[in-house]
Amino acid sequence: MFAYSAPTDLLKDRIILVTGAGDGIGREAARQFAAHGATVILLGRTIEKLESLYDELEAAGYPQPAIVPLNLESAGEHDFIELCNTLHQEFGKLDGILHNASLLGVRTPIENYDPTIWLQVMQVNVNAAFMMTQTLMPLLRASDDASVVFTTSSVGSKGKAYWGAYAVSKFATEGMMQVLADELENSGNIRVNCINPGATRTNMRANAYPAENPDNNPAPADIMPLYLYLMGPDSKGQNGHTLSAQGNGQPL
């Protein structure tokens, strides 16, 4: 695992948006960010899950979170403009974005891949992440120290048979991260990186590997050190890299 011990006030006074906050890694990341002092914006498509997490964070005495119900599969430019306007009015800045939401799609040969599912996966995993980041850039520039983190996968650096749109979307995610990081290299206050969470005990992993024993994989809480590191000030200067949450901290 990535070795990092985060101080309890690591993210104090930071405003961090987490997509896919209702389940799995996104839910745990939001929980950990809040526990370390951040005001977390919980974005997801299932409001009941977001409300459950909201109540949990509030009961724990963490900074009051915010809920943004949004289905990234159908979201368009106007939705992200509205999101930006709301966040600007409420917070005036944004110190971090964790692009965690992803669709797996289906595991089947490209020859047989359903074009409708292909477009759904690309919309959530690539297009929505692009539109959201682009639209929220003024809020990131208003921060003294902002971090944008995309979520990738090992199949986003070496394609594997039957991973179809998911693999291609993660190749695109890596490319988007690298281009944006290079463009912001001299910005002074915004860094952009990718996290590869690795095999983790989530519903997506179970769907991808139904015959696998999930207990052999780490829980989302076990991989959080890298998420905290990249969202906090200790990662200043870390830009344009893909890091493994279950690795040694060296760029992949």
Side-chain angles (χ1 to χ4, degrees):
M1 293 295 170
F2 181 83
Y4 177 71
S5 181
T8 56
D9 63 347
L10 176 77
L11 304 176
K12 188 176 185 296
D13 298 327
R14 293 189 181 228
I15 313 297
I16 299 176
L17 172 66
V18 178
T19 73
D23 276 316
I25 292 172
R27 188 181 186 95
E28 185 59 35
R31 185 184 290 118
Q32 291 290 333
F33 295 160
H36 288 80
T39 295
V40 184
I41 301 159
L42 311 173
L43 189 148
R45 63 184 176 182
T46 308
I47 192 167
E48 291 83 3
K49 293 179 180 180
L50 301 179
E51 288 176 339
S52 169
L53 180 55
Y54 180 100
D55 291 343
E56 178 186 336
L57 300 182
E58 194 168 50
Y62 301 148
Q64 185 178 26
I67 289 179
V68 178
L70 185 62
N71 185 347
L72 297 179
E73 188 178 323
S74 57
E77 183 181 8
H78 65 282
D79 296 296
F80 297 113
I81 292 173
E82 184 175 332
L83 172 64
C84 183
N85 291 338
T86 299
L87 297 183
H88 176 72
Q89 291 170 6
E90 291 294 323
F91 305 109
K93 65 164 186 171
L94 194 58
D95 301 298
I97 303 173
L98 172 59
H99 288 291
N100 168 77
S102 287
L103 288 184
L104 177 65
V106 293
R107 292 189 61 192
T108 191
I110 293 253
E111 184 178 7
N112 302 329
Y113 211 99
D114 184 331
T116 299
I117 297 176
W118 183 282
L119 293 175
Q120 289 171 342
V121 172
M122 299 304 286
Q123 164 64 19
V124 172
N125 298 6
V126 183
N127 299 341
F130 154 69
M131 286 187 286
M132 181 182 295
T133 305
Q134 181 189 61
T135 307
L136 297 180
M137 193 62 68
L139 296 180
L140 293 167
R141 291 193 182 279
S143 169
D144 293 332
D145 177 37
S147 177
V148 179
V149 177
F150 293 93
T151 302
T152 187
S153 166
S154 59
V155 297
S157 57
K158 175 65 171 69
K160 293 175 65 176
Y162 314 124
W163 279 88
Y166 183 79
V168 174
S169 76
K170 294 306 178 181
F171 271 93
T173 295
E174 295 255 5
M176 179 162 51
M177 177 276 290
Q178 292 175 21
V179 170
L180 184 57
D182 201 47
E183 291 173 352
L184 297 173
E185 181 67 34
N186 298 315
S187 70
N189 70 316
I190 306 175
R191 56 190 176 279
V192 187
N193 297 281
C194 274
I195 287 179
N196 177 3
T200 311
R201 204 179 311 154
T202 62
N203 290 333
M204 179 181 285
R205 179 73 185 188
N207 289 333
Y209 294 93
E212 181 181 72
N213 181 356
D215 291 336
N216 292 335
N217 296 325
D222 298 327
I223 65 170
M224 284 297 115
L226 180 59
Y227 288 77
L228 289 167
Y229 168 74
L230 286 179
M231 280 299 169
D234 292 335
S235 60
K236 281 184 178 179
Q238 186 81 257
N239 185 54
H241 297 145
T242 293
L243 301 171
S244 170
Q246 300 185 42
N248 59 7
Q250 296 302 310
L252 298 176

mmCIF file with all atom_site columns, all heavy atoms in Angstrom, residues 13 31 43 73 89 97 154 176 215 221 225-226:
data_model
loop_
_atom_site.group_PDB
_atom_site.id
_atom_site.type_symbol
_atom_site.label_atom_id
_atom_site.label_alt_id
_atom_site.label_comp_id
_atom_site.label_asym_id
_atom_site.label_entity_id
_atom_site.label_seq_id
_atom_site.pdbx_PDB_ins_code
_atom_site.Cartn_x
_atom_site.Cartn_y
_atom_site.Cartn_z
_atom_site.occupancy
_atom_site.B_iso_or_equiv
_atom_site.pdbx_formal_charge
_atom_site.auth_seq_id
_atom_site.auth_comp_id
_atom_site.auth_asym_id
_atom_site.auth_atom_id
_atom_site.pdbx_PDB_model_num
ATOM 1  N N   . ASP A 1 13  ? -10.591 23.422  6.077   1.00 0.00 ? 13  ASP A N   1
ATOM 2  C CA  . ASP A 1 13  ? -11.047 24.577  5.286   1.00 0.00 ? 13  ASP A CA  1
ATOM 3  C C   . ASP A 1 13  ? -11.014 24.332  3.778   1.00 0.00 ? 13  ASP A C   1
ATOM 4  O O   . ASP A 1 13  ? -11.220 25.267  2.999   1.00 0.00 ? 13  ASP A O   1
ATOM 5  C CB  . ASP A 1 13  ? -10.233 25.837  5.614   1.00 0.00 ? 13  ASP A CB  1
ATOM 6  C CG  . ASP A 1 13  ? -10.374 26.255  7.071   1.00 0.00 ? 13  ASP A CG  1
ATOM 7  O OD1 . ASP A 1 13  ? -11.462 26.037  7.639   1.00 0.00 ? 13  ASP A OD1 1
ATOM 8  O OD2 . ASP A 1 13  ? -9.399  26.785  7.632   1.00 0.00 ? 13  ASP A OD2 1
ATOM 9  N N   . ARG A 1 31  ? -15.854 10.238  3.027   1.00 0.00 ? 31  ARG A N   1
ATOM 10 C CA  . ARG A 1 31  ? -15.799 10.070  4.479   1.00 0.00 ? 31  ARG A CA  1
ATOM 11 C C   . ARG A 1 31  ? -14.424 10.477  5.031   1.00 0.00 ? 31  ARG A C   1
ATOM 12 O O   . ARG A 1 31  ? -14.317 11.190  6.033   1.00 0.00 ? 31  ARG A O   1
ATOM 13 C CB  . ARG A 1 31  ? -16.116 8.617   4.821   1.00 0.00 ? 31  ARG A CB  1
ATOM 14 C CG  . ARG A 1 31  ? -16.208 8.328   6.315   1.00 0.00 ? 31  ARG A CG  1
ATOM 15 C CD  . ARG A 1 31  ? -16.422 6.858   6.563   1.00 0.00 ? 31  ARG A CD  1
ATOM 16 N NE  . ARG A 1 31  ? -17.739 6.403   6.161   1.00 0.00 ? 31  ARG A NE  1
ATOM 17 C CZ  . ARG A 1 31  ? -17.981 5.486   5.228   1.00 0.00 ? 31  ARG A CZ  1
ATOM 18 N NH1 . ARG A 1 31  ? -16.964 4.941   4.575   1.00 0.00 ? 31  ARG A NH1 1
ATOM 19 N NH2 . ARG A 1 31  ? -19.198 5.121   4.935   1.00 0.00 ? 31  ARG A NH2 1
ATOM 20 N N   . LEU A 1 43  ? -21.528 14.208  -4.861  1.00 0.00 ? 43  LEU A N   1
ATOM 21 C CA  . LEU A 1 43  ? -22.214 14.171  -6.146  1.00 0.00 ? 43  LEU A CA  1
ATOM 22 C C   . LEU A 1 43  ? -22.472 12.719  -6.545  1.00 0.00 ? 43  LEU A C   1
ATOM 23 O O   . LEU A 1 43  ? -21.563 11.894  -6.524  1.00 0.00 ? 43  LEU A O   1
ATOM 24 C CB  . LEU A 1 43  ? -21.394 14.883  -7.221  1.00 0.00 ? 43  LEU A CB  1
ATOM 25 C CG  . LEU A 1 43  ? -22.080 15.115  -8.565  1.00 0.00 ? 43  LEU A CG  1
ATOM 26 C CD1 . LEU A 1 43  ? -21.574 16.405  -9.213  1.00 0.00 ? 43  LEU A CD1 1
ATOM 27 C CD2 . LEU A 1 43  ? -21.868 13.939  -9.532  1.00 0.00 ? 43  LEU A CD2 1
ATOM 28 N N   . GLU A 1 73  ? -24.657 10.355  -16.702 1.00 0.00 ? 73  GLU A N   1
ATOM 29 C CA  . GLU A 1 73  ? -24.965 9.750   -17.991 1.00 0.00 ? 73  GLU A CA  1
ATOM 30 C C   . GLU A 1 73  ? -25.815 10.667  -18.863 1.00 0.00 ? 73  GLU A C   1
ATOM 31 O O   . GLU A 1 73  ? -25.701 10.657  -20.089 1.00 0.00 ? 73  GLU A O   1
ATOM 32 C CB  . GLU A 1 73  ? -25.696 8.420   -17.778 1.00 0.00 ? 73  GLU A CB  1
ATOM 33 C CG  . GLU A 1 73  ? -25.893 7.614   -19.043 1.00 0.00 ? 73  GLU A CG  1
ATOM 34 C CD  . GLU A 1 73  ? -26.573 6.294   -18.775 1.00 0.00 ? 73  GLU A CD  1
ATOM 35 O OE1 . GLU A 1 73  ? -26.284 5.684   -17.729 1.00 0.00 ? 73  GLU A OE1 1
ATOM 36 O OE2 . GLU A 1 73  ? -27.398 5.876   -19.609 1.00 0.00 ? 73  GLU A OE2 1
ATOM 37 N N   . GLN A 1 89  ? -21.608 30.465  -5.639  1.00 0.00 ? 89  GLN A N   1
ATOM 38 C CA  . GLN A 1 89  ? -22.423 31.210  -4.677  1.00 0.00 ? 89  GLN A CA  1
ATOM 39 C C   . GLN A 1 89  ? -22.217 30.697  -3.251  1.00 0.00 ? 89  GLN A C   1
ATOM 40 O O   . GLN A 1 89  ? -22.173 31.477  -2.300  1.00 0.00 ? 89  GLN A O   1
ATOM 41 C CB  . GLN A 1 89  ? -23.899 31.101  -5.063  1.00 0.00 ? 89  GLN A CB  1
ATOM 42 C CG  . GLN A 1 89  ? -24.265 31.842  -6.346  1.00 0.00 ? 89  GLN A CG  1
ATOM 43 C CD  . GLN A 1 89  ? -25.671 31.529  -6.826  1.00 0.00 ? 89  GLN A CD  1
ATOM 44 O OE1 . GLN A 1 89  ? -26.427 30.840  -6.149  1.00 0.00 ? 89  GLN A OE1 1
ATOM 45 N NE2 . GLN A 1 89  ? -26.015 32.041  -7.996  1.00 0.00 ? 89  GLN A NE2 1
ATOM 46 N N   . ILE A 1 97  ? -11.151 18.119  -6.821  1.00 0.00 ? 97  ILE A N   1
ATOM 47 C CA  . ILE A 1 97  ? -12.150 17.282  -7.477  1.00 0.00 ? 97  ILE A CA  1
ATOM 48 C C   . ILE A 1 97  ? -11.603 15.867  -7.519  1.00 0.00 ? 97  ILE A C   1
ATOM 49 O O   . ILE A 1 97  ? -10.486 15.638  -8.002  1.00 0.00 ? 97  ILE A O   1
ATOM 50 C CB  . ILE A 1 97  ? -12.456 17.724  -8.920  1.00 0.00 ? 97  ILE A CB  1
ATOM 51 C CG1 . ILE A 1 97  ? -12.915 19.178  -8.990  1.00 0.00 ? 97  ILE A CG1 1
ATOM 52 C CG2 . ILE A 1 97  ? -13.514 16.815  -9.542  1.00 0.00 ? 97  ILE A CG2 1
ATOM 53 C CD1 . ILE A 1 97  ? -13.069 19.687  -10.422 1.00 0.00 ? 97  ILE A CD1 1
ATOM 54 N N   . SER A 1 154 ? -5.545  -0.386  -14.526 1.00 0.00 ? 154 SER A N   1
ATOM 55 C CA  . SER A 1 154 ? -4.439  -1.022  -15.239 1.00 0.00 ? 154 SER A CA  1
ATOM 56 C C   . SER A 1 154 ? -4.791  -1.270  -16.700 1.00 0.00 ? 154 SER A C   1
ATOM 57 O O   . SER A 1 154 ? -3.909  -1.262  -17.566 1.00 0.00 ? 154 SER A O   1
ATOM 58 C CB  . SER A 1 154 ? -4.063  -2.347  -14.560 1.00 0.00 ? 154 SER A CB  1
ATOM 59 O OG  . SER A 1 154 ? -5.174  -3.230  -14.547 1.00 0.00 ? 154 SER A OG  1
ATOM 60 N N   . MET A 1 176 ? -6.334  12.664  -21.008 1.00 0.00 ? 176 MET A N   1
ATOM 61 C CA  . MET A 1 176 ? -6.896  13.938  -20.564 1.00 0.00 ? 176 MET A CA  1
ATOM 62 C C   . MET A 1 176 ? -6.121  14.493  -19.376 1.00 0.00 ? 176 MET A C   1
ATOM 63 O O   . MET A 1 176 ? -5.820  15.685  -19.313 1.00 0.00 ? 176 MET A O   1
ATOM 64 C CB  . MET A 1 176 ? -8.374  13.753  -20.198 1.00 0.00 ? 176 MET A CB  1
ATOM 65 C CG  . MET A 1 176 ? -9.063  14.999  -19.697 1.00 0.00 ? 176 MET A CG  1
ATOM 66 S SD  . MET A 1 176 ? -10.884 14.900  -19.771 1.00 0.00 ? 176 MET A SD  1
ATOM 67 C CE  . MET A 1 176 ? -11.206 13.339  -18.942 1.00 0.00 ? 176 MET A CE  1
ATOM 68 N N   . ASP A 1 215 ? -13.008 -11.082 -0.497  1.00 0.00 ? 215 ASP A N   1
ATOM 69 C CA  . ASP A 1 215 ? -12.247 -10.923 0.745   1.00 0.00 ? 215 ASP A CA  1
ATOM 70 C C   . ASP A 1 215 ? -10.747 -10.938 0.505   1.00 0.00 ? 215 ASP A C   1
ATOM 71 O O   . ASP A 1 215 ? -9.969  -10.573 1.394   1.00 0.00 ? 215 ASP A O   1
ATOM 72 C CB  . ASP A 1 215 ? -12.617 -12.025 1.742   1.00 0.00 ? 215 ASP A CB  1
ATOM 73 C CG  . ASP A 1 215 ? -14.035 -11.867 2.269   1.00 0.00 ? 215 ASP A CG  1
ATOM 74 O OD1 . ASP A 1 215 ? -14.551 -10.730 2.242   1.00 0.00 ? 215 ASP A OD1 1
ATOM 75 O OD2 . ASP A 1 215 ? -14.631 -12.878 2.689   1.00 0.00 ? 215 ASP A OD2 1
ATOM 76 N N   . ALA A 1 221 ? -11.330 1.532   2.420   1.00 0.00 ? 221 ALA A N   1
ATOM 77 C CA  . ALA A 1 221 ? -10.639 2.266   3.485   1.00 0.00 ? 221 ALA A CA  1
ATOM 78 C C   . ALA A 1 221 ? -9.140  2.002   3.471   1.00 0.00 ? 221 ALA A C   1
ATOM 79 O O   . ALA A 1 221 ? -8.340  2.869   3.868   1.00 0.00 ? 221 ALA A O   1
ATOM 80 C CB  . ALA A 1 221 ? -11.230 1.894   4.844   1.00 0.00 ? 221 ALA A CB  1
ATOM 81 N N   . PRO A 1 225 ? -4.834  6.218   1.903   1.00 0.00 ? 225 PRO A N   1
ATOM 82 C CA  . PRO A 1 225 ? -3.673  7.098   2.086   1.00 0.00 ? 225 PRO A CA  1
ATOM 83 C C   . PRO A 1 225 ? -3.297  7.904   0.848   1.00 0.00 ? 225 PRO A C   1
ATOM 84 O O   . PRO A 1 225 ? -2.987  9.101   0.950   1.00 0.00 ? 225 PRO A O   1
ATOM 85 C CB  . PRO A 1 225 ? -2.561  6.133   2.500   1.00 0.00 ? 225 PRO A CB  1
ATOM 86 C CG  . PRO A 1 225 ? -3.286  5.065   3.263   1.00 0.00 ? 225 PRO A CG  1
ATOM 87 C CD  . PRO A 1 225 ? -4.581  4.885   2.509   1.00 0.00 ? 225 PRO A CD  1
ATOM 88 N N   . LEU A 1 226 ? -3.334  7.293   -0.342  1.00 0.00 ? 226 LEU A N   1
ATOM 89 C CA  . LEU A 1 226 ? -2.966  8.032   -1.554  1.00 0.00 ? 226 LEU A CA  1
ATOM 90 C C   . LEU A 1 226 ? -3.987  9.117   -1.876  1.00 0.00 ? 226 LEU A C   1
ATOM 91 O O   . LEU A 1 226 ? -3.626  10.216  -2.323  1.00 0.00 ? 226 LEU A O   1
ATOM 92 C CB  . LEU A 1 226 ? -2.826  7.072   -2.740  1.00 0.00 ? 226 LEU A CB  1
ATOM 93 C CG  . LEU A 1 226 ? -2.443  7.723   -4.073  1.00 0.00 ? 226 LEU A CG  1
ATOM 94 C CD1 . LEU A 1 226 ? -1.114  8.467   -3.968  1.00 0.00 ? 226 LEU A CD1 1
ATOM 95 C CD2 . LEU A 1 226 ? -2.382  6.679   -5.189  1.00 0.00 ? 226 LEU A CD2 1
#
